[in-house]
Amino acid sequence: MNEETKGKAVRKSLTILIPEGVVAAPILKTVAGLTERYHLGLYLSTAQNLRLLDIKDEDEEAIRAALTATGAELKGPGKFPLPKICVGGTYCNLGLVDTMALSRRILAAYQGQMPVKPKFKIAISACPAACSDALLADIGIRATKAGYEVYAGGKGGPFPKVGRRIAKGADEETVVEMVGQLAAFHARKTEKKQRLTKLLDDPEFPFPEV
Ligand code: SF4
């Protein structure tokens, strides 16, 4: 926090989690109604979620209830991170795989089924161009013509780091299993929150560099 932001009142917002960045029509309709009724702003976050801005304290409960009723899931602690994905091979002619399907498979395997500690992120890219910044995610998955590569410990922010490659030529099943092992390892080794990069040199880190 610098001198300009110290003590600044931050306005209240709520974040709707949007798996694969694909918004269901009923949620969009509800959000449109809420933004008009409660004079909210809308922000499309860098993590592919939808953030409702400028929520007044007295309106929060009603807004939460309306969103929950429409099937929206709100961001909160302890939730398995939604992979940030590029649009994938179904919509990009360079794409080698269906990133949406892989994200759904990862979430089906682990969402709500394991303890998760904050600050690790997952990204999936359907070709080496890595448009979803897979090399800068705690767990990065990148499709190549020779199979999947998996990277661990990448990060963006003020001191970006490219992740360490821990798999190449992998199939989808292996990738899904590795994500689970890495998430479990991170949860076991993390007291409150930390990026995976801090654990790369832990003697028990489950995968060598390849
Ligand atoms: S990473 Fe590749 S497949 Fe994905 S959007 Fe970028 S160019 Fe297309």
Side-chain angles (χ1 to χ4, degrees), residues 86-88 92 94-96 125-127 129-131:
C86 82
V87 74
C92 174
L94 293 179
L96 301 166
S125 294
C127 88
C131 294

Side-chain angles (χ1 to χ4, degrees), residues 54-82:
D54 300 322
I55 295 175
K56 295 190 188 73
D57 287 340
E58 60 270 30
D59 298 334
E60 182 177 348
E61 203 180 313
I63 292 170
R64 279 181 183 274
L67 291 171
T68 306
T70 199
E73 191 179 347
L74 298 178
K75 188 176 176 186
K79 295 194 173 172
F80 195 86
L82 300 184

